Structures are given as C-alpha cells and as structure tokens.
Amino acid sequence: MKRALLDALAARPGLSGVQVSYEMPQRALAGEAMWFGEDTETETGIPVMKAGTKHVDETYALPFVVQVLLTDGRDAEAADLRAAALLVEFQQALAENPRITPAIQWAELGGWSHHVGPIGDGSSRGSRFDVLVRVRARLSP
C-alpha cells in the first residue's frame, strides 16, 4: 500500500520537484518533501468466527508528513500556502483513487495537525502537516 501511494504521488504533476520518499530523508532533505511518519496503529477483525482460513478486515491509521522549508527569505505565510497546496495534492490523490491497491477497500485523509515556525537563525520558515491516513483493508490468504 505504501509503495502504491508513493508512486501515485510521484506521478502527480502538482508534486513535480517535491521529494517523495518512504521515510524522512536522513541526508539532503529537500525544501519541499513528503514521507511516511512513524507509529502506525491498527484494529483487526475477523468477520466470522469459525474453523478454517478467513479473511481479516483491518483498519489502520498511517502517519504521513507534508513539509515545506523556505530558506530564501520568504515569510511564514508563503511556507503555509505552499504546504497547504501540497496537502491538497495529497488529498486529491486519495480522493481520485481511494482503493490504491486491490486489498484496500478505502484510504482517506483522516485528519492532520499543522506545525509552523522559524528555522535556524530565524530568517527561514517551516510549515509542516502531520497527516493521518485512515485505511480499511481486507487481507485474504
């Protein structure tokens, strides 16, 4: 599911030039970047309790980060506007294809928190959305 979502995001024209990666880049973090966060939580259920092989329904919250770092003198508003535009691209990718893979019943933006502030000496600005993607999947043997 994660790889399919990253591929869908990388193919979006509105995200051209944005660093889209599986985890936070440890080196060379771009000014505009997206990656999966940590600490996925899940709930699982077996629809029918009986002997034998079963389908398992799973719902989980997948963390994802959308971040903009401006080091060219632009202000906090510019960072916020660009981060919001990237968040809209992310949201549209899910809206246009909520199934992502055959095992996924749906994936949707479940919510976000927004973090802003100066970086370094105060001349640079950052804007970051920590997003939760709610996913419902049916796992089959």
Side-chain angles (χ1 to χ4, degrees):
M1 184 277 178
K2 287 182 172 182
R3 175 51 49 202
L5 180 55
L6 291 177
D7 291 345
L9 292 171
R12 292 188 68 81
L15 295 177
S16 177
V18 175
Q19 185 179 31
V20 178
S21 54
Y22 198 88
E23 66 179 348
M24 180 180 176
Q26 299 302 306
R27 294 186 180 104
L29 177 63
E32 296 182 350
M34 303 173 128
W35 65 88
F36 287 104
E38 300 173 359
D39 303 328
T40 301
E41 295 183 21
T42 185
E43 293 180 16
T44 58
I46 300 172
V48 178
M49 291 302 291
K50 64 180 181 176
T53 304
K54 300 167 187 63
H55 296 289
V56 176
D57 291 329
E58 183 175 69
T59 304
Y60 56 93
L62 182 65
F64 197 80
V65 176
V66 175
Q67 179 173 280
V68 171
L69 305 173
L70 298 180
T71 58
D72 59 4
R74 289 182 285 164
D75 62 10
E77 182 179 10
D80 286 351
L81 290 173
R82 183 58 184 154
L86 298 182
L87 180 63
V88 167
E89 286 289 335
F90 179 80
Q91 191 172 24
Q92 284 302 306
L94 291 175
E96 290 168 9
N97 185 15
R99 297 225 40 204
I100 302 173
T101 69
I104 301 298
Q105 295 171 331
W106 49 258
E108 66 182 1
L109 185 73
W112 48 262
S113 58
H114 187 212
H115 311 277
V116 298
I119 302 167
D121 65 1
S123 64
S124 301
R125 295 289 183 261
S127 184
R128 171 179 167 150
F129 287 96
D130 288 325
V131 179
L132 278 181
V133 180
R134 280 194 304 250
V135 179
R136 178 73 170 174
R138 170 153 285 176
L139 308 176
S140 299

